[in-house]
Structure formats: C-alpha cells, structure tokens
Amino acid sequence: MGRPRGFDRERVLDHVVDLFWRHGYDGTSVEAIRHATGIGPSSLYAAFGDKRTLFFEAVDRYRARVVDKALDGLEQDRGDGLAAIRAFFTRVVDGIIAGERRWGCLMTNCAVERAPWDEAAAEAARAHLLRVRAAFAGALARGATGADETQITAVASMLTAVLQGLNVMARAGFGRAPIQAAVDAAIASAEGAAMLPVARRMPAAIAS
C-alpha cells in the first residue's frame, strides 16, 4: 500500500482555485501555492504534478464548486425560464457587489489569459462558454412564446457575451450602477426577443 497523503485534496484544491482565480496563471507562483496550502514541494509535485497540471485540476474543481451551482437554475427544467435568467443575473450582480465574484470568473480569466497560448485552455474555455450558452438557450426555450431555435441561440449567445463582459467589469472594479444597467438592458432585450413572433422581427419586405 502507498503512503496515505497527509492533507485533504479537495480543501487544497479550493485554496489553489482561489489563487488562480484571483491572480491568474502567470501571477500564481509555485511558492505561493506551497505557502497557501502548507504542502512541501515534493508532496505537491507527487500529488498534483507540475503547475500546469495543477491548474487544469483547479479548473475542474472550479466547475464542480462554482459553475455547477451557478447554472443549476438555468439547466434544470423548473418552470419559467425567463424568471430563471433574471434570478441568475441577480445572483451574479449581488455576488460581484458583495465581493464573492470580484475576481470575475476563473473560466473567463482562463479564456483571456491562457487560451491564446494554450490549446487545452482554449478548449476548456470554449466548452465552458458552450455550456453557458446551452443553459441560457434551454431557459429561453422554456420562456419563449414566439421565438424559433435560431433566434433562441442568438439571444443565448448575446446573454453569454454579456455575462463574460460582467466578469471583466467585476475584475476591473466597476460598481453596481454600470453592471446593473448592462444586465437590465440584456434582460429587456432577451425578454423582447423571446416574446415576439418571428414575423414581427423581420423587415416588412422580408416578412411578407
């Protein structure tokens, strides 16, 4: 039998998630990870491998700890999808103002910082964004009365883009007013698009 580890792996990963989330990949040194976790270098490398491997394990932990919980209300079929979208963005804004999301989103930060140079990071970021878009599309489909699949996908893409913008604004230190204004405009647009029949969104010459 191997020697048992003297630490809680998930607790350690939570510390590492917070480091990468707050400081980014390049801004998080192995020494900082060792200091935050209290694990010696040999144990750290034996348990998690190198820094890049640890980063992707932290990304997986972030998905389980943060993303799954955040998207639950959108992904579960629980009645009014538009209400679920409003509730989702309310939680996002409140989290930013309360400081819980002041570092933005680890997946957004990954896309900005790592994706241009690291194909695995780019793939992880794309998968995350596709999941978010699918969650919005599912919620819109539950709340739409006149939109078709193409329009639902377009609105879901818009909401995904707005969410990523909010994450960047949070990291840049914006306050509630501009963040809430962006959310209000996005939700109003989504609600209008979801409720209008297809013909009313087309120019008269095309609709006819």
Side-chain angles (χ1 to χ4, degrees):
M1 291 179 63
R3 184 178 178 181
R5 295 190 182 97
F7 56 84
D8 182 326
R9 189 180 185 87
E10 290 191 347
R11 183 184 65 81
V12 168
L13 280 172
D14 284 339
H15 285 303
V16 175
V17 165
D18 288 343
L19 285 173
F20 283 128
W21 192 357
R22 180 172 185 173
H23 300 292
Y25 182 87
D26 292 334
T28 300
S29 67
V30 174
E31 183 61 31
I33 294 170
R34 288 170 50 199
H35 179 75
T37 61
I39 301 175
S42 60
S43 296
L44 185 68
Y45 284 113
F48 298 104
D50 60 16
K51 175 182 167 181
R52 183 173 178 275
T53 302
L54 178 55
F55 173 74
F56 285 109
E57 190 158 350
V59 165
D60 288 340
R61 177 65 177 163
Y62 177 84
R63 289 182 183 129
R65 191 184 97 185
V66 178
V67 177
D68 289 355
K69 180 179 178 181
L71 295 182
D72 179 69
L74 296 176
E75 292 180 329
Q76 299 300 318
D77 189 358
R78 296 174 182 158
D80 188 347
L82 292 174
I85 290 171
R86 289 191 292 270
F88 171 84
F89 277 108
T90 295
R91 290 191 296 272
V92 169
V93 174
D94 288 347
I96 291 171
I97 301 308
E100 299 165 3
R101 294 179 61 98
R102 62 190 178 279
W103 306 325
C105 167
L106 179 60
M107 300 308 301
T108 303
N109 300 343
C110 175
V112 173
E113 181 186 19
R114 298 296 302 166
W117 326 112
D118 187 328
E119 180 54 34
E123 186 175 330
R126 285 193 297 269
H128 171 73
L129 294 175
L130 288 171
R131 178 185 177 186
V132 172
R133 187 179 70 172
F136 280 132
L140 287 165
R142 298 197 303 274
T145 59
D148 63 17
E149 183 177 352
T150 299
Q151 291 152 347
I152 286 173
T153 300
V155 175
S157 296
M158 180 270 292
L159 292 174
T160 302
V162 169
L163 176 61
Q164 304 322 301
L166 296 181
N167 290 326
V168 174
M169 292 174 74
R171 196 162 178 84
F174 279 78
R176 179 180 290 274
I179 290 174
Q180 188 65 59
V183 168
D184 291 344
I187 291 178
S189 178
E191 290 176 336
M195 300 303 290
L196 290 176
V198 176
R200 289 183 58 186
R201 295 193 201 96
M202 298 181 180
I206 298 176
S208 60

